[in-house]
PDB file of all heavy atoms in Angstrom:
ATOM      1  N   LYS A 223     234.057-190.937  50.207  1.00 78.00           N
ATOM      2  CA  LYS A 223     232.712-190.496  50.593  1.00 78.00           C
ATOM      3  C   LYS A 223     231.726-190.617  49.435  1.00 78.00           C
ATOM      4  O   LYS A 223     230.544-190.892  49.634  1.00 78.00           O
ATOM      5  CB  LYS A 223     232.758-189.064  51.122  1.00 78.00           C
ATOM      6  CG  LYS A 223     233.421-188.973  52.491  1.00 78.00           C
ATOM      7  CD  LYS A 223     233.187-187.640  53.171  1.00 78.00           C
ATOM      8  CE  LYS A 223     234.087-186.567  52.657  1.00 78.00           C
ATOM      9  NZ  LYS A 223     234.040-185.336  53.473  1.00 78.00           N
ATOM     10  N   GLU A 224     232.208-190.415  48.222  1.00 79.00           N
ATOM     11  CA  GLU A 224     231.343-190.572  47.062  1.00 79.00           C
ATOM     12  C   GLU A 224     231.011-192.038  46.809  1.00 79.00           C
ATOM     13  O   GLU A 224     229.926-192.385  46.363  1.00 79.00           O
ATOM     14  CB  GLU A 224     232.015-189.971  45.818  1.00 79.00           C
ATOM     15  CG  GLU A 224     232.092-188.456  45.810  1.00 79.00           C
ATOM     16  CD  GLU A 224     230.718-187.814  45.745  1.00 79.00           C
ATOM     17  OE1 GLU A 224     229.802-188.406  45.145  1.00 79.00           O
ATOM     18  OE2 GLU A 224     230.553-186.719  46.312  1.00 79.00           O
ATOM     19  N   ALA A 225     231.970-192.926  47.105  1.00 82.00           N
ATOM     20  CA  ALA A 225     231.774-194.350  46.833  1.00 82.00           C
ATOM     21  C   ALA A 225     230.832-195.000  47.838  1.00 82.00           C
ATOM     22  O   ALA A 225     230.060-195.889  47.486  1.00 82.00           O
ATOM     23  CB  ALA A 225     233.120-195.074  46.840  1.00 82.00           C
ATOM     24  N   GLY A 226     230.880-194.578  49.102  1.00 83.00           N
ATOM     25  CA  GLY A 226     230.043-195.190  50.130  1.00 83.00           C
ATOM     26  C   GLY A 226     228.612-194.706  50.044  1.00 83.00           C
ATOM     27  O   GLY A 226     228.300-193.707  49.399  1.00 83.00           O
ATOM     28  N   ASN A 227     227.695-195.450  50.696  1.00 84.00           N
ATOM     29  CA  ASN A 227     226.305-194.988  50.760  1.00 84.00           C
ATOM     30  C   ASN A 227     225.937-194.490  52.153  1.00 84.00           C
ATOM     31  O   ASN A 227     224.782-194.209  52.434  1.00 84.00           O
ATOM     32  CB  ASN A 227     225.324-196.078  50.297  1.00 84.00           C
ATOM     33  CG  ASN A 227     225.581-197.419  50.963  1.00 84.00           C
ATOM     34  OD1 ASN A 227     226.159-197.484  52.045  1.00 84.00           O
ATOM     35  ND2 ASN A 227     225.158-198.491  50.315  1.00 84.00           N
ATOM     36  N   MET A 228     226.929-194.397  53.029  1.00 86.00           N
ATOM     37  CA  MET A 228     226.775-193.741  54.327  1.00 86.00           C
ATOM     38  C   MET A 228     228.072-193.006  54.644  1.00 86.00           C
ATOM     39  O   MET A 228     229.143-193.420  54.199  1.00 86.00           O
ATOM     40  CB  MET A 228     226.485-194.747  55.447  1.00 86.00           C
ATOM     41  CG  MET A 228     225.129-195.409  55.388  1.00 86.00           C
ATOM     42  SD  MET A 228     224.819-196.375  56.898  1.00 86.00           S
ATOM     43  CE  MET A 228     223.269-197.166  56.440  1.00 86.00           C
ATOM     44  N   VAL A 229     227.956-191.927  55.421  1.00 84.00           N
ATOM     45  CA  VAL A 229     229.131-191.186  55.873  1.00 84.00           C
ATOM     46  C   VAL A 229     229.024-191.018  57.382  1.00 84.00           C
ATOM     47  O   VAL A 229     228.014-190.529  57.893  1.00 84.00           O
ATOM     48  CB  VAL A 229     229.236-189.798  55.206  1.00 84.00           C
ATOM     49  CG1 VAL A 229     230.416-189.025  55.763  1.00 84.00           C
ATOM     50  CG2 VAL A 229     229.369-189.934  53.693  1.00 84.00           C
ATOM     51  N   ASP A 230     230.067-191.450  58.098  1.00 84.00           N
ATOM     52  CA  ASP A 230     230.117-191.288  59.547  1.00 84.00           C
ATOM     53  C   ASP A 230     230.817-189.972  59.862  1.00 84.00           C
ATOM     54  O   ASP A 230     232.013-189.825  59.637  1.00 84.00           O
ATOM     55  CB  ASP A 230     230.867-192.465  60.175  1.00 84.00           C
ATOM     56  CG  ASP A 230     231.022-192.307  61.684  1.00 84.00           C
ATOM     57  OD1 ASP A 230     230.284-191.484  62.260  1.00 84.00           O
ATOM     58  OD2 ASP A 230     231.868-192.993  62.265  1.00 84.00           O
ATOM     59  N   LEU A 231     230.057-189.015  60.375  1.00 78.00           N
ATOM     60  CA  LEU A 231     230.607-187.685  60.635  1.00 78.00           C
ATOM     61  C   LEU A 231     231.623-187.697  61.770  1.00 78.00           C
ATOM     62  O   LEU A 231     232.477-186.821  61.857  1.00 78.00           O
ATOM     63  CB  LEU A 231     229.474-186.710  60.966  1.00 78.00           C
ATOM     64  CG  LEU A 231     228.384-186.571  59.901  1.00 78.00           C
ATOM     65  CD1 LEU A 231     227.334-185.574  60.347  1.00 78.00           C
ATOM     66  CD2 LEU A 231     228.978-186.177  58.567  1.00 78.00           C
ATOM     67  N   ASP A 232     231.539-188.687  62.660  1.00 75.00           N
ATOM     68  CA  ASP A 232     232.493-188.787  63.764  1.00 75.00           C
ATOM     69  C   ASP A 232     233.743-189.558  63.374  1.00 75.00           C
ATOM     70  O   ASP A 232     234.695-189.631  64.153  1.00 75.00           O
ATOM     71  CB  ASP A 232     231.842-189.487  64.966  1.00 75.00           C
ATOM     72  CG  ASP A 232     230.716-188.672  65.567  1.00 75.00           C
ATOM     73  OD1 ASP A 232     230.765-187.443  65.448  1.00 75.00           O
ATOM     74  OD2 ASP A 232     229.782-189.271  66.129  1.00 75.00           O
ATOM     75  N   SER A 233     233.719-190.184  62.196  1.00 74.00           N
ATOM     76  CA  SER A 233     234.859-190.989  61.725  1.00 74.00           C
ATOM     77  C   SER A 233     235.269-192.038  62.752  1.00 74.00           C
ATOM     78  O   SER A 233     236.439-192.189  63.095  1.00 74.00           O
ATOM     79  CB  SER A 233     236.047-190.076  61.375  1.00 74.00           C
ATOM     80  OG  SER A 233     235.692-189.162  60.364  1.00 74.00           O
ATOM     81  N   ASN A 234     234.271-192.751  63.256  1.00 75.00           N
ATOM     82  CA  ASN A 234     234.499-193.808  64.245  1.00 75.00           C
ATOM     83  C   ASN A 234     234.156-195.151  63.612  1.00 75.00           C
ATOM     84  O   ASN A 234     232.984-195.498  63.487  1.00 75.00           O
ATOM     85  CB  ASN A 234     233.632-193.567  65.479  1.00 75.00           C
ATOM     86  CG  ASN A 234     233.744-194.682  66.498  1.00 75.00           C
ATOM     87  OD1 ASN A 234     234.620-195.546  66.408  1.00 75.00           O
ATOM     88  ND2 ASN A 234     232.851-194.682  67.471  1.00 75.00           N
ATOM     89  N   PRO A 235     235.152-195.934  63.198  1.00 71.00           N
ATOM     90  CA  PRO A 235     234.868-197.186  62.488  1.00 71.00           C
ATOM     91  C   PRO A 235     234.022-198.169  63.286  1.00 71.00           C
ATOM     92  O   PRO A 235     233.297-198.978  62.714  1.00 71.00           O
ATOM     93  CB  PRO A 235     236.262-197.770  62.223  1.00 71.00           C
ATOM     94  CG  PRO A 235     237.196-196.606  62.313  1.00 71.00           C
ATOM     95  CD  PRO A 235     236.604-195.703  63.337  1.00 71.00           C
ATOM     96  N   THR A 236     234.096-198.108  64.612  1.00 73.00           N
ATOM     97  CA  THR A 236     233.314-199.017  65.449  1.00 73.00           C
ATOM     98  C   THR A 236     231.815-198.815  65.250  1.00 73.00           C
ATOM     99  O   THR A 236     231.017-199.715  65.515  1.00 73.00           O
ATOM    100  CB  THR A 236     233.663-198.796  66.935  1.00 73.00           C
ATOM    101  OG1 THR A 236     235.079-198.800  67.076  1.00 73.00           O
ATOM    102  CG2 THR A 236     233.094-199.883  67.813  1.00 73.00           C
ATOM    103  N   LYS A 237     231.431-197.638  64.767  1.00 81.00           N
ATOM    104  CA  LYS A 237     230.015-197.319  64.635  1.00 81.00           C
ATOM    105  C   LYS A 237     229.305-198.212  63.623  1.00 81.00           C
ATOM    106  O   LYS A 237     228.068-198.270  63.592  1.00 81.00           O
ATOM    107  CB  LYS A 237     229.845-195.855  64.258  1.00 81.00           C
ATOM    108  CG  LYS A 237     228.486-195.290  64.620  1.00 81.00           C
ATOM    109  CD  LYS A 237     228.388-193.817  64.310  1.00 81.00           C
ATOM    110  CE  LYS A 237     229.247-192.995  65.234  1.00 81.00           C
ATOM    111  NZ  LYS A 237     229.140-191.557  64.974  1.00 81.00           N
ATOM    112  N   LEU A 238     230.052-198.929  62.802  1.00 80.00           N
ATOM    113  CA  LEU A 238     229.440-199.843  61.834  1.00 80.00           C
ATOM    114  C   LEU A 238     228.538-200.845  62.548  1.00 80.00           C
ATOM    115  O   LEU A 238     227.472-201.218  62.036  1.00 80.00           O
ATOM    116  CB  LEU A 238     230.527-200.573  61.041  1.00 80.00           C
ATOM    117  CG  LEU A 238     230.060-201.572  59.986  1.00 80.00           C
ATOM    118  CD1 LEU A 238     229.155-200.906  58.966  1.00 80.00           C
ATOM    119  CD2 LEU A 238     231.256-202.201  59.292  1.00 80.00           C
ATOM    120  N   ILE A 239     228.941-201.278  63.737  1.00 82.00           N
ATOM    121  CA  ILE A 239     228.125-202.225  64.497  1.00 82.00           C
ATOM    122  C   ILE A 239     226.802-201.577  64.898  1.00 82.00           C
ATOM    123  O   ILE A 239     225.738-202.194  64.803  1.00 82.00           O
ATOM    124  CB  ILE A 239     228.904-202.713  65.736  1.00 82.00           C
ATOM    125  CG1 ILE A 239     230.182-203.435  65.298  1.00 82.00           C
ATOM    126  CG2 ILE A 239     228.052-203.637  66.593  1.00 82.00           C
ATOM    127  CD1 ILE A 239     231.090-203.839  66.433  1.00 82.00           C
ATOM    128  N   GLU A 240     226.844-200.315  65.332  1.00 85.00           N
ATOM    129  CA  GLU A 240     225.619-199.612  65.699  1.00 85.00           C
ATOM    130  C   GLU A 240     224.728-199.387  64.491  1.00 85.00           C
ATOM    131  O   GLU A 240     223.495-199.451  64.587  1.00 85.00           O
ATOM    132  CB  GLU A 240     225.968-198.268  66.351  1.00 85.00           C
ATOM    133  CG  GLU A 240     226.736-198.399  67.659  1.00 85.00           C
ATOM    134  CD  GLU A 240     227.132-197.052  68.218  1.00 85.00           C
ATOM    135  OE1 GLU A 240     226.772-196.021  67.612  1.00 85.00           O
ATOM    136  OE2 GLU A 240     227.810-197.022  69.259  1.00 85.00           O
ATOM    137  N   ILE A 241     225.328-199.126  63.333  1.00 87.00           N
ATOM    138  CA  ILE A 241     224.551-198.916  62.114  1.00 87.00           C
ATOM    139  C   ILE A 241     223.752-200.177  61.774  1.00 87.00           C
ATOM    140  O   ILE A 241     222.567-200.105  61.410  1.00 87.00           O
ATOM    141  CB  ILE A 241     225.478-198.528  60.947  1.00 87.00           C
ATOM    142  CG1 ILE A 241     226.039-197.121  61.168  1.00 87.00           C
ATOM    143  CG2 ILE A 241     224.749-198.599  59.610  1.00 87.00           C
ATOM    144  CD1 ILE A 241     227.140-196.733  60.206  1.00 87.00           C
ATOM    145  N   VAL A 242     224.387-201.328  61.910  1.00 86.00           N
ATOM    146  CA  VAL A 242     223.689-202.591  61.650  1.00 86.00           C
ATOM    147  C   VAL A 242     222.523-202.762  62.626  1.00 86.00           C
ATOM    148  O   VAL A 242     221.422-203.171  62.241  1.00 86.00           O
ATOM    149  CB  VAL A 242     224.670-203.773  61.762  1.00 86.00           C
ATOM    150  CG1 VAL A 242     223.934-205.108  61.743  1.00 86.00           C
ATOM    151  CG2 VAL A 242     225.680-203.726  60.626  1.00 86.00           C
ATOM    152  N   GLU A 243     222.750-202.418  63.889  1.00 86.00           N
ATOM    153  CA  GLU A 243     221.685-202.558  64.882  1.00 86.00           C
ATOM    154  C   GLU A 243     220.522-201.614  64.589  1.00 86.00           C
ATOM    155  O   GLU A 243     219.354-201.981  64.762  1.00 86.00           O
ATOM    156  CB  GLU A 243     222.251-202.300  66.278  1.00 86.00           C
ATOM    157  CG  GLU A 243     223.216-203.396  66.737  1.00 86.00           C
ATOM    158  CD  GLU A 243     223.829-203.110  68.092  1.00 86.00           C
ATOM    159  OE1 GLU A 243     223.720-201.958  68.564  1.00 86.00           O
ATOM    160  OE2 GLU A 243     224.416-204.030  68.690  1.00 86.00           O
ATOM    161  N   ILE A 244     220.822-200.387  64.134  1.00 88.00           N
ATOM    162  CA  ILE A 244     219.759-199.436  63.789  1.00 88.00           C
ATOM    163  C   ILE A 244     218.969-199.952  62.591  1.00 88.00           C
ATOM    164  O   ILE A 244     217.732-199.849  62.541  1.00 88.00           O
ATOM    165  CB  ILE A 244     220.349-198.045  63.504  1.00 88.00           C
ATOM    166  CG1 ILE A 244     220.883-197.422  64.800  1.00 88.00           C
ATOM    167  CG2 ILE A 244     219.305-197.121  62.864  1.00 88.00           C
ATOM    168  CD1 ILE A 244     221.656-196.138  64.593  1.00 88.00           C
ATOM    169  N   GLY A 245     219.667-200.530  61.591  1.00 88.00           N
ATOM    170  CA  GLY A 245     218.977-201.099  60.440  1.00 88.00           C
ATOM    171  C   GLY A 245     218.060-202.232  60.840  1.00 88.00           C
ATOM    172  O   GLY A 245     216.920-202.338  60.357  1.00 88.00           O
ATOM    173  N   LYS A 246     218.526-203.098  61.736  1.00 87.00           N
ATOM    174  CA  LYS A 246     217.692-204.204  62.195  1.00 87.00           C
ATOM    175  C   LYS A 246     216.510-203.689  63.005  1.00 87.00           C
ATOM    176  O   LYS A 246     215.400-204.230  62.924  1.00 87.00           O
ATOM    177  CB  LYS A 246     218.525-205.188  63.025  1.00 87.00           C
ATOM    178  CG  LYS A 246     219.470-206.029  62.173  1.00 87.00           C
ATOM    179  CD  LYS A 246     220.069-207.163  62.949  1.00 87.00           C
ATOM    180  CE  LYS A 246     220.897-208.056  62.044  1.00 87.00           C
ATOM    181  NZ  LYS A 246     220.094-208.740  61.012  1.00 87.00           N
ATOM    182  N   GLN A 247     216.743-202.637  63.788  1.00 88.00           N
ATOM    183  CA  GLN A 247     215.646-202.062  64.564  1.00 88.00           C
ATOM    184  C   GLN A 247     214.554-201.515  63.643  1.00 88.00           C
ATOM    185  O   GLN A 247     213.358-201.665  63.915  1.00 88.00           O
ATOM    186  CB  GLN A 247     216.167-200.950  65.472  1.00 88.00           C
ATOM    187  CG  GLN A 247     215.104-200.390  66.411  1.00 88.00           C
ATOM    188  CD  GLN A 247     215.603-199.234  67.236  1.00 88.00           C
ATOM    189  OE1 GLN A 247     216.445-198.456  66.798  1.00 88.00           O
ATOM    190  NE2 GLN A 247     215.091-199.087  68.448  1.00 88.00           N
ATOM    191  N   LEU A 248     214.959-200.905  62.520  1.00 88.00           N
ATOM    192  CA  LEU A 248     213.988-200.398  61.549  1.00 88.00           C
ATOM    193  C   LEU A 248     213.134-201.535  61.004  1.00 88.00           C
ATOM    194  O   LEU A 248     211.900-201.441  60.952  1.00 88.00           O
ATOM    195  CB  LEU A 248     214.722-199.686  60.407  1.00 88.00           C
ATOM    196  CG  LEU A 248     213.890-199.346  59.169  1.00 88.00           C
ATOM    197  CD1 LEU A 248     212.817-198.333  59.509  1.00 88.00           C
ATOM    198  CD2 LEU A 248     214.765-198.838  58.040  1.00 88.00           C
ATOM    199  N   LEU A 249     213.776-202.630  60.591  1.00 87.00           N
ATOM    200  CA  LEU A 249     213.032-203.760  60.023  1.00 87.00           C
ATOM    201  C   LEU A 249     212.121-204.398  61.066  1.00 87.00           C
ATOM    202  O   LEU A 249     210.983-204.780  60.761  1.00 87.00           O
ATOM    203  CB  LEU A 249     214.014-204.799  59.476  1.00 87.00           C
ATOM    204  CG  LEU A 249     214.920-204.338  58.325  1.00 87.00           C
ATOM    205  CD1 LEU A 249     215.849-205.464  57.904  1.00 87.00           C
ATOM    206  CD2 LEU A 249     214.102-203.861  57.138  1.00 87.00           C
TER     207      LEU A 249
END
C-alpha cells in the first residue's frame, strides 16, 4: 500500500480497468 499510488478498498483487481476509464474520462 505504501508502494502504490492508489489503494482499492474492495481489493478487486479487475477494478484496474475501471480506474483507467475514470482517468480517461477526466482527461
Side-chain angles (χ1 to χ4, degrees):
K223 288 194 280 190
E224 289 295 329
N227 49 24
M228 291 189 186
V229 176
D230 177 17
L231 303 180
D232 294 332
S233 300
N234 176 12
T236 311
K237 203 176 290 182
L238 180 57
I239 299 174
E240 297 176 2
I241 290 170
V242 170
E243 291 177 346
I244 291 172
K246 287 191 175 295
Q247 185 184 32
L248 168 65
L249 297 179

